[in-house]
Amino acid sequence: MAPNAGKAAENHGQLVNAELAESYGMTLNELKTLMEYKGHEGIQKIEEQYGNVLEICKRLKTDPNNGLPSSPGELDRRREVFGANLIPPKKPKSFLRLVWEALQDVTLIVLEVAALISLALAFYKPPEGNADSCLPEEFQGIGGEAGEGAAGWIEGAAILISVVVVVLVMAINDYTKEKQFRGLQNKIEQEQKFSTIRDGQILEIPVADLVVGDVTQVKYGDLLPADGIVIQSNDLKVDESSLTGESDHVKKGVSKDPMLLAGTHVMEGSGKMVVTAVGVNSQTGIIFSLLGASEGADNEVAAETNDNRADTNINHDHGGQEEIPLTEVVDGEHMAENSSSVESEVKKKKTSRRKEQSVLQAKLTKLAVQIGYGGFAVSTLTVLLLIVLFCVELFGIMHFPWNSECTSLYIQYFVKFFIIGVTVLVVAVPEGLPLAVTISLAFSVKKMMKDNNLVRHLDACETMGNATAICSDKTGTLTTNRMTVVQCYLAGRHYQDGLPKAEDLPANTLQALVTGISVNSAYTSKLLPPEKEGGQPFQVGNKTECALLGFVRDLGREYESVRLEITEEKLFKVYTFNSVRKSMSTVIQNEDGSFRLYTKGASEIVLKKCTTLLDVSGESIKFTAADRNQMVKDVIETMASNGLRTIAMGYRDFPADSPPDWDQENSVVSNLTCISITGIEDPVRPEVPDAIKQCQRAGITVRMVTGDNINTARSIATKCGIISPQDDILVLDGKEFNRRIRNKNGVIEQQKLDQIWPRLRVLARSSPTDKHTLVKGIIDSTVSEHREVVAVTGDGTNDGPALKKADVGFAMGIAGTDVAKEASDIILTDDNFTSIVKAVKWGRNVYDSISKFLQFQLTVNVVAVVVAVVGACVIRDSPLKAVQMLWVNLIMDSLASLALATEPPTDDLLLRKPYGRNKPLISRTMMKNILGHAIYQLTVIFVLLFAGEKLFDIDNGRKLSLHSTPTQHFTIIFNTFVLMQIFNEINSRKIHGERDVFRGIFTNPIFCIIIASTLVLQILIVEFGSVAFTTAPLSISQWLWCVFLGLFELVWGQVVSSIPNKFLPKFLAIGGTSEPAKDEVDGAGEEDQVPDLTDPSQTLRRGQILWFRGLNRIQQQIRVVNAFRSSLYETRHFKRSMNSISSIHNFQPLTRHYDDDDDDDDSSQQHSLETETQTVDVHNSGEFNKSNTGLPPYDHID
């Protein structure tokens, strides 16, 4: 009955969907098939079956101008028929699966085996009457009580119980961790929105809410969230390399290639599209389905890959799809080919990492290997020593014969020795460290969100603490990004102290200015009413364009009325702004059939294309090269020196009977008539100068990298405090920068770059390529004492390479494009430089928290290992039993990691210099504390071990039999040891030699609670642990002595702090990194040199380094967004076509750096990439030495 009922329900659901689908003129399968066609085939298919795109809109019941209605019922109906815009994520790992993974730790397995052997031997009884003959009477340790054997199972059981506790702690931690970051990922997805037209209103809706039939606006920098067909476009170009592997930008348009695919990047232009496929039905979704189907549900590689990328359609993290090949038509004959190539690409990607390890990860990895080898060697030596001493004494010195009937007893001794050896291994490696790293990072990430830092990759959090240089954008980061026109040159007059009124201007000049600004701006840029009465209008879209629209209003005109008359559909041709053109041009057709082109852009670029100028009467007069140079000197340089961005506007008319070839942009955008030059002010954020001072005090060099005029950049940099006249620094523009760092063949030389970057503070007129060159040069340089750690901010699509190359990439959350956000590690949700300073503080706090825990953990380890080894040699036993060590090392240290990893940051963190890339993880101060406290603790423990029975007048606990009952002697040793660690935990709060270890202790309630709870648990273990923990209850006086010896740790800490570091040898500092790691950006297909610890062929003897598995889990599982960042330059196409990609510069012509040609017929690329060679050296004398080659400075629109 049940199966039949289920089948009936399913059939009924299909029937309902079919009825709903009939209400639309196209089925789901029709739309999916349609989107498989591209280029001319796509146009032909649309014309044959539907006529045109408008007919498709009609069938989908959507209005190409007003979009869909916002009624929830209609939207839900479309989701039922055509699907929702999401790909269901892989089901998270179950708790039992996480428990099983935790059980895979080699050391835990060793402990489990030892415990089981111990249990088996404890229950095995040798034949009666032979026990006395197994060992000679004079053999030490043969004595014991009658019932000792009955309790022999307790030690093995206690070890197993401890292992269970440890496994549960690890599994619960992983489960909570995964749940937390899935929630964080969902938060990111919900914040990802896309411009959609509904009910005639342009709305920003979450991409997951998109449905088939939605009309969306697409623009430069967008990453498309669904498949669609172009309704209208302006110079639209798309990078489809993430799906096809082809790097060339594809022109899109109604008459060219109307198919837009999810996961592709809009590189130029703008337009509108109607959504035709979403979620699993989009071309990207089909690939995901193919990936899962081809590799099987049980294939872990495919499962993890799907997990990592399942939600990418929602949050736009499609970078990982570069590895998924997609043929133009996904049909049966291509399935197998795609399947096999997908599998190989996934596996290849899985074993390589895009970036080198973070600074802390690299240091921890090196330290892990060092400690791992040491711990394994010591533990092996201990076991061998115990076995040899046992055999030598019993069979050598005493000449006792081997009795086969006593083999089980001998094996029990060997198992005990083995357990002691495992105990030494357990205490030798800081397996609590991965937990400390995880807790510290997770705690910091959660807190950083409140400080406007959305961390996408956890390792970026601690890397930021080591940052030595920040390369920051100007607009929006150092400035408010609240653009306002404050000066202009109009109608032959330079208005410096106020803007003109409409009545002051000639009618034709005013008309050209107002119309030019209104139509030659993105229609997504607009001014909304102020949020508060009396406030400034709310700027939406490009801020520079908003400033110009505000200028129109200041003139007493309304840009909306112009746009209502000339709608976006009526624009004849648009040459959209990009970093190559540094200008934007729009062509409109007049009623008489003639055309007018409006241009705006970087002032000197537009001026260079002008041959006439509107004078005071509104008439066109000749504009010569001499006039242009005078204009640059009198107007542009004057504005730029006041920190203003200069934008020029011009126009040109074309007759109706002889229109030009519109594809010949260089000839079209020439012979212009200059309308005006505007000076736009972008005030420095009031909090930025103090933030930069904090950075400089913290040893971080701040550099401004901007595309603005060099005079504007210098003015802003001076206001921010980046430069001052008395500093010996460099202020360069992009052209001079490239001239200095390249040899005669145009190749960048690191040696030349090393002579520039240490003094460089401002790089103006820089291209994205220049930015990448600077970042790469600083990171790869070895001239500084410690290798530099570089943070970079970026907001544009072309900033992707620099953001990826940087140790930490910051994307602007407000002004940043989707592509820039994907390439970043941290997103600044407020686009504010002060948030970067907060990230530095949190990063340093993470680094210090890990160092604090290391200092504490290694002190415990050194003492425990020495005690275990000495005990094995002298008394053939460890004073600290295996179960006690599990409590100390796996449980108490986990609590300590929580206590020390949740210390809140303080402003004192910004008063020291950054550690840098090569500075040892364990400094000499930390090693002094570790060794100093270890000496005190070892002295106390050995005095108690060898004289404790006399000092406390108790029974001697040394050299007891195999299953003796616990003694007060060894309980005092254990109790004192633990109490010394508890009070030393307070000492470990300070790692830089501070004396006041209690400062700020009550600002961290977690620390106080854990110290108190650890004390309570220790009391319970000592008093009630009995045989399980090998403890005996202590008297009040014995407790007071234990507490006193523990408290003396605080006094001893002051003594240790008084020892000057200069008396300590430098080799005591360990854990640094010496060799610079390579980045995959440096070579095509080059894999990271860090071994993949999950690969059996590269496993570094995990038994030696217990916590390696935990560290690897951190690297692979706890990512805020598990997605590969989008790559614009490292697609498979480049990897096939280039043997080596040593620099991003190889992708672009070098001639752009040396373009001095004034010919108006030059290519747009050459025009836009010209640059002034003005160089400013700021010396101690305070003089600015300028060398001008005669080229004018120029500006551009961000």
Side-chain angles (χ1 to χ4, degrees):
M1 287 292 291
N4 292 335
K7 190 171 182 180
E10 183 181 348
N11 291 336
H12 176 71
Q14 292 176 353
L15 185 63
V16 171
N17 281 338
E19 290 175 355
L20 289 172
E22 288 178 3
S23 63
Y24 299 101
M26 299 180 73
T27 65
L28 175 61
N29 288 332
E30 280 183 49
L31 290 170
K32 287 170 67 174
T33 304
L34 178 63
M35 294 312 298
E36 292 173 357
Y37 292 89
K38 293 180 61 180
H40 179 69
E41 290 182 350
I43 298 173
Q44 189 176 359
K45 185 74 174 176
I46 292 173
E47 290 177 350
E48 289 177 357
Q49 291 197 351
Y50 311 105
N52 54 36
V53 181
L54 297 180
E55 178 62 26
I56 293 177
C57 293
K58 185 177 179 181
R59 292 194 180 197
L60 292 175
K61 296 184 178 181
T62 184
D63 189 316
N65 295 318
N66 298 320
L68 293 174
S70 298
S71 61
E74 172 64 20
L75 299 178
D76 290 340
R77 199 156 44 242
R78 290 176 182 269
R79 291 191 185 97
E80 282 186 47
V81 176
F82 301 110
N85 192 30
L86 56 88
I87 297 177
K90 188 183 75 113
K91 187 177 179 182
K93 293 179 181 177
S94 65
F95 182 74
L96 291 178
R97 172 73 180 272
L98 294 172
V99 168
W100 175 252
E101 289 183 355
L103 280 168
Q104 305 307 305
D105 277 323
V106 174
T107 307
L108 289 181
I109 293 174
V110 170
L111 282 173
E112 292 160 12
V113 171
L116 291 173
I117 294 174
S118 178
L119 279 172
L121 293 175
F123 288 111
Y124 172 75
K125 293 184 179 180
E128 293 183 6
N130 295 327
D132 294 338
S133 62
C134 290
L135 296 171
E137 293 184 2
E138 63 271 21
F139 183 76
Q140 293 183 344
I142 192 173
E145 298 178 7
E148 62 183 15
W153 62 272
I154 292 180
E155 183 178 34
I159 292 176
L160 284 179
I161 292 172
S162 299
V163 167
V164 169
V165 171
V166 171
V167 167
L168 288 176
V169 168
M170 293 171 66
I172 291 171
N173 178 58
D174 285 345
Y175 184 78
T176 307
K177 179 173 61 182
E178 188 170 318
K179 186 177 179 182
Q180 175 185 356
F181 289 115
R182 276 182 179 266
L184 192 56
Q185 183 174 354
N186 291 335
K187 179 178 174 63
I188 295 173
E189 292 161 4
Q190 291 166 7
E191 290 179 352
Q192 192 66 52
K193 297 183 178 180
F194 206 74
S195 296
T196 306
I197 302 174
R198 287 184 181 170
D199 290 327
Q201 301 292 319
I202 300 175
L203 306 174
E204 294 289 327
I205 68 169
V207 296
D209 293 344
L210 286 176
V211 296
V212 169
D214 262 326
V215 177
T216 64
Q217 290 187 330
V218 296
K219 59 185 182 302
Y220 162 79
D222 280 346
L223 200 143
L224 301 180
D227 291 353
I229 300 176
V230 174
I231 299 175
Q232 174 266 328
S233 65
N234 297 319
D235 197 28
L236 190 62
K237 293 181 181 178
V238 176
D239 176 10
E240 295 185 342
S241 60
S242 59
L243 291 179
T244 66
E246 299 299 325
S247 61
D248 294 336
H249 296 169
V250 182
K251 289 185 178 181
K252 297 288 183 177
V254 176
S255 60
K256 293 177 183 176
D257 182 357
M259 305 303 186
L260 296 174
L261 303 177
T264 57
H265 307 140
V266 180
M267 303 306 294
E268 290 187 32
S270 61
K272 290 195 299 186
M273 77 170 185
V274 58
V275 175
T276 55
V278 295
V280 293
N281 300 311
S282 66
Q283 292 301 297
T284 302
I286 291 171
I287 294 300
F288 277 117
S289 302
L290 175 65
L291 180 67
S294 64
E295 296 191 13
D298 295 329
N299 188 307
E300 186 173 349
V301 175
E304 290 197 16
T305 305
N306 277 327
D307 186 37
N308 289 346
R309 303 180 183 79
D311 297 328
T312 52
N313 269 22
I314 305 173
N315 64 14
H316 292 301
D317 287 326
H318 285 284
Q321 292 169 12
E322 291 173 14
E323 66 201 34
I324 304 175
L326 177 66
T327 52
E328 291 190 6
V329 182
V330 181
D331 55 22
E333 65 180 331
H334 294 120
M335 284 292 187
E337 177 185 347
N338 279 348
S339 172
S340 60
S341 55
V342 163
E343 185 173 359
S344 62
E345 288 288 344
V346 168
K347 290 181 178 178
K348 177 180 177 183
K349 201 72 174 180
K350 188 165 179 65
T351 56
S352 65
R353 297 196 182 95
R354 182 186 59 262
K355 272 192 176 183
E356 63 184 63
Q357 284 183 310
S358 71
V359 177
L360 183 59
Q361 283 176 333
K363 293 178 179 180
L364 287 175
T365 301
K366 184 174 181 179
L367 187 65
V369 174
Q370 294 171 341
I371 295 176
Y373 279 116
F376 185 78
V378 171
S379 62
T380 304
L381 182 65
T382 303
V383 174
L384 293 176
L385 194 62
L386 285 168
I387 293 175
V388 169
L389 287 175
F390 176 82
C391 294
V392 167
E393 182 178 357
L394 184 60
F395 305 115
I397 299 175
M398 297 184 177
H399 303 289
F400 196 78
W402 179 283
N403 191 341
S404 59
E405 295 180 355
C406 300
T407 301
S408 62
L409 183 62
Y410 300 151
I411 291 177
Q412 286 188 45
Y413 271 99
F414 293 158
V415 169
K416 181 180 179 181
F417 299 153
F418 180 68
I419 291 175
I420 292 172
V422 174
T423 302
V424 173
L425 178 60
V426 167
V427 301
V429 291
E431 70 282 348
L433 190 55
L435 186 60
V437 175
T438 301
I439 291 170
S440 183
L441 290 176
F443 174 76
S444 299
V445 165
K446 190 175 181 181
K447 296 292 184 182
M448 285 174 73
M449 289 184 68
K450 297 180 181 178
D451 285 339
N452 302 308
N453 284 274
L454 181 59
V455 181
R456 298 182 72 247
H457 300 103
L458 282 183
D459 53 3
C461 180
E462 49 87 4
T463 302
M464 196 59 211
N466 294 281
T468 58
I470 298 175
C471 296
S472 175
D473 278 346
K474 175 181 72 69
T475 305
T477 308
L478 300 175
T479 59
T480 60
N481 203 18
R482 175 79 200 184
M483 304 286 192
T484 309
V485 176
V486 294
Q487 291 187 28
C488 70
Y489 180 88
L490 195 58
R493 179 182 169 188
H494 186 184
Y495 294 87
Q496 298 188 53
D497 299 324
L499 299 177
K501 298 297 181 183
E503 53 270 19
D504 300 332
L505 303 175
N508 62 330
T509 302
L510 179 64
Q511 186 272 335
L513 179 68
V514 172
T515 305
I517 291 176
S518 300
V519 301
N520 192 32
S521 297
Y523 277 45
T524 53
S525 298
K526 52 191 174 181
L527 300 176
L528 299 180
E531 296 178 350
K532 296 181 180 179
E533 188 176 352
Q536 293 181 315
F538 185 69
Q539 296 181 339
V540 176
N542 185 284
K543 304 301 181 183
T544 302
E545 292 181 340
C546 288
L548 295 174
L549 296 175
F551 181 34
V552 171
R553 284 191 175 177
D554 291 339
L555 290 171
R557 297 292 185 268
E558 288 296 333
Y559 70 89
E560 292 100 331
S561 59
V562 179
R563 289 183 172 180
L564 286 174
E565 182 181 349
I566 306 174
T567 61
E568 194 170 8
E569 288 74 19
K570 293 182 180 180
L571 301 180
F572 184 80
K573 177 72 175 177
V574 178
Y575 304 98
T576 55
F577 171 83
N578 60 32
S579 59
V580 177
R581 292 190 182 103
K582 295 193 186 298
S583 65
M584 176 181 178
S585 302
T586 300
V587 181
I588 60 174
Q589 188 169 16
N590 300 317
E591 293 181 357
D592 60 359
S594 62
F595 301 91
R596 172 167 282 193
L597 173 138
Y598 290 101
T599 295
K600 75 171 186 297
S603 54
E604 67 290 350
I605 288 181
V606 174
L607 281 185
K608 192 176 178 181
K609 299 176 182 180
C610 292
T611 55
T612 56
L613 173 72
L614 293 180
D615 65 1
V616 66
S617 61
E619 299 296 325
S620 296
I621 60 174
K622 193 172 182 181
F623 188 60
T624 65
D627 296 331
R628 180 168 65 241
N629 291 335
Q630 192 64 36
M631 179 83 73
V632 168
K633 183 177 179 182
D634 294 343
V635 178
I636 295 178
E637 288 188 357
T638 301
M639 290 182 178
S641 62
N642 292 322
L644 304 183
R645 166 177 291 177
T646 56
I647 303 294
M649 282 164 281
Y651 74 93
R652 180 183 178 183
D653 290 319
F654 297 92
D657 54 352
S658 57
D661 182 355
W662 298 110
D663 290 332
Q664 298 298 319
E665 181 183 347
N666 293 329
S667 61
V668 172
V669 187
S670 62
N671 297 319
L672 303 176
T673 299
C674 179
I675 303 173
S676 72
I677 298 172
T678 56
I680 300 177
E681 181 183 47
D682 187 11
V684 173
R685 290 181 183 266
E687 65 273 17
V688 163
D690 287 338
I692 289 179
K693 284 181 182 176
Q694 279 186 306
C695 285
Q696 292 168 342
R697 192 165 57 242
I700 302 172
T701 302
V702 181
R703 294 178 176 86
M704 179 197 291
V705 183
T706 179
D708 257 343
N709 181 289
I710 194 168
N711 293 323
T712 304
R714 188 193 316 117
S715 174
I716 297 296
T718 303
K719 292 177 182 177
C720 292
I722 293 175
I723 63 174
S724 57
Q726 67 271 20
D727 294 334
D728 178 21
I729 55 95
L730 285 176
V731 176
L732 299 178
D733 73 310
K735 185 170 185 179
E736 177 65 13
F737 172 71
N738 279 282
R739 186 187 68 79
R740 292 194 181 197
I741 66 173
R742 294 178 184 269
N743 60 22
K744 60 183 180 181
N745 297 321
V747 178
I748 298 171
E749 292 186 356
Q750 183 68 41
Q751 185 178 1
K752 289 178 176 286
L753 194 53
D754 287 342
Q755 297 172 359
I756 299 295
W757 73 258
R759 295 172 57 216
L760 183 66
R761 293 296 179 272
V762 177
L763 182 58
R765 282 298 174 214
S766 66
S767 67
T769 301
D770 298 331
K771 192 173 189 177
H772 179 273
T773 299
L774 177 63
V775 173
K776 181 179 183 300
I778 297 175
I779 291 176
D780 292 346
S781 177
T782 57
V783 295
S784 56
E785 181 182 356
H786 301 294
R787 286 184 61 221
E788 299 287 307
V789 178
V790 183
V792 171
T793 68
D795 56 6
T797 299
N798 288 334
D799 287 327
L803 290 170
K804 288 181 68 178
K805 177 62 186 174
D807 294 291
V808 182
F810 285 90
M812 304 296 106
I814 300 172
T817 63
D818 293 338
V819 178
K821 291 175 184 177
E822 285 179 11
S824 68
D825 300 290
I826 298 175
I827 297 175
L828 297 178
T829 56
D830 62 348
D831 290 11
N832 196 332
F833 185 84
T834 54
S835 297
I836 300 177
V837 180
K838 293 175 183 175
V840 172
K841 188 190 295 185
W842 276 107
R844 291 189 174 189
N845 190 60
V846 168
Y847 195 98
D848 279 7
S849 295
I850 304 306
S851 296
K852 291 172 185 177
F853 179 76
L854 263 179
Q855 178 175 294
F856 171 74
Q857 173 84 76
L858 292 180
T859 304
V860 178
N861 292 356
V862 168
V863 174
V865 168
V866 173
V867 168
V869 173
V870 172
C873 295
V874 178
I875 65 172
R876 282 173 247 161
D877 193 3
S878 174
L880 302 172
K881 307 301 180 185
V883 180
Q884 295 172 352
M885 278 295 93
L886 283 172
W887 155 242
V888 170
N889 213 55
L890 296 178
I891 301 170
M892 197 184 85
D893 286 354
S894 297
L895 295 174
S897 67
L898 181 62
L900 293 171
T902 53
E903 288 276 333
T906 64
D907 290 335
D908 292 343
L909 291 168
L910 297 177
L911 298 179
R912 63 165 175 81
K913 303 296 181 186
Y915 290 133
R917 203 180 293 270
N918 295 337
K919 188 175 177 64
L921 183 61
I922 301 175
S923 64
R924 285 194 291 174
T925 302
M926 291 172 60
M927 187 57 76
K928 175 182 70 177
N929 292 334
I930 292 170
L931 296 179
H933 289 288
I935 289 171
Y936 167 74
Q937 293 181 17
L938 287 171
T939 303
V940 170
I941 288 175
F942 286 140
V943 168
L944 292 176
L945 178 61
F946 297 109
E949 72 278 9
K950 298 176 182 177
L951 294 174
F952 290 98
D953 192 21
I954 53 180
D955 293 335
N956 183 1
R958 298 187 300 275
K959 295 185 179 179
L960 293 179
S961 63
L962 193 60
H963 299 297
S964 299
T965 54
T967 64
Q968 284 188 328
H969 184 190
F970 276 22
T971 302
I972 290 174
I973 295 174
F974 165 61
N975 195 32
T976 304
F977 175 73
V978 171
L979 290 174
M980 286 191 293
Q981 308 316 319
I982 291 174
F983 290 107
N984 190 38
E985 197 171 331
I986 299 174
N987 282 327
S988 298
R989 294 184 65 249
K990 306 296 178 183
I991 57 173
H992 299 297
E994 302 94 333
R995 289 188 174 276
D996 186 3
V997 295
F998 289 98
R999 182 182 177 188
I1001 193 171
F1002 294 112
T1003 61
N1004 184 10
I1006 296 177
F1007 184 89
C1008 301
I1009 291 171
I1010 286 176
I1011 290 290
S1013 59
T1014 308
L1015 273 170
V1016 171
L1017 286 171
Q1018 179 62 18
I1019 293 171
L1020 294 175
I1021 288 172
V1022 169
E1023 295 300 316
F1024 306 104
S1026 188
V1027 178
F1029 280 90
T1030 322
T1031 59
L1034 302 180
S1035 65
I1036 295 295
S1037 61
Q1038 291 168 343
W1039 263 105
L1040 290 175
W1041 274 108
C1042 293
V1043 172
F1044 170 76
L1045 293 172
L1047 273 171
F1048 196 77
E1049 267 284 357
L1050 299 174
V1051 179
W1052 185 253
Q1054 299 299 312
V1055 175
V1056 173
S1057 298
S1058 303
I1059 303 173
N1061 283 357
K1062 62 183 180 181
F1063 296 132
L1064 302 175
K1066 288 188 177 181
F1067 68 81
L1068 287 179
I1070 61 174
T1073 55
S1074 55
E1075 293 300 324
K1078 295 294 182 184
D1079 197 309
E1080 276 192 0
V1081 175
D1082 295 338
E1086 179 180 336
E1087 294 188 354
D1088 201 314
Q1089 298 302 310
V1090 180
D1092 186 348
L1093 300 177
T1094 61
D1095 186 350
S1097 65
Q1098 295 182 354
T1099 301
L1100 297 178
R1101 302 179 71 180
R1102 290 181 293 177
Q1104 304 167 29
I1105 40 178
L1106 172 66
W1107 59 275
F1108 236 119
R1109 188 180 188 90
L1111 179 60
N1112 191 41
R1113 189 176 294 119
I1114 292 167
Q1115 295 169 347
Q1116 293 186 1
Q1117 292 180 356
I1118 42 175
R1119 300 279 183 184
V1120 178
V1121 178
N1122 283 324
F1124 292 101
R1125 285 178 283 187
S1126 172
S1127 171
L1128 300 180
Y1129 295 89
E1130 294 181 298
T1131 61
R1132 293 183 297 106
H1133 171 78
F1134 287 128
K1135 294 182 180 180
R1136 291 196 301 267
S1137 60
M1138 296 184 182
N1139 293 328
S1140 175
I1141 303 176
S1142 59
S1143 170
I1144 198 74
H1145 303 278
N1146 296 335
F1147 302 156
Q1148 299 185 2
L1150 297 178
T1151 55
R1152 69 162 196 76
H1153 298 292
Y1154 311 105
D1155 177 23
D1156 291 327
D1157 194 350
D1158 280 351
D1159 187 356
D1160 289 336
D1161 293 330
D1162 284 347
S1163 69
S1164 62
Q1165 181 176 355
Q1166 289 174 322
H1167 271 303
S1168 65
L1169 290 168
E1170 292 179 310
T1171 175
E1172 61 182 329
T1173 57
Q1174 186 177 36
T1175 307
V1176 181
D1177 287 283
V1178 187
H1179 298 285
N1180 289 326
S1181 62
E1183 297 178 358
F1184 289 77
N1185 301 320
K1186 303 181 182 179
S1187 62
N1188 198 325
T1189 63
L1191 281 178
Y1194 57 88
D1195 208 356
H1196 87 274
I1197 308 171
D1198 276 350

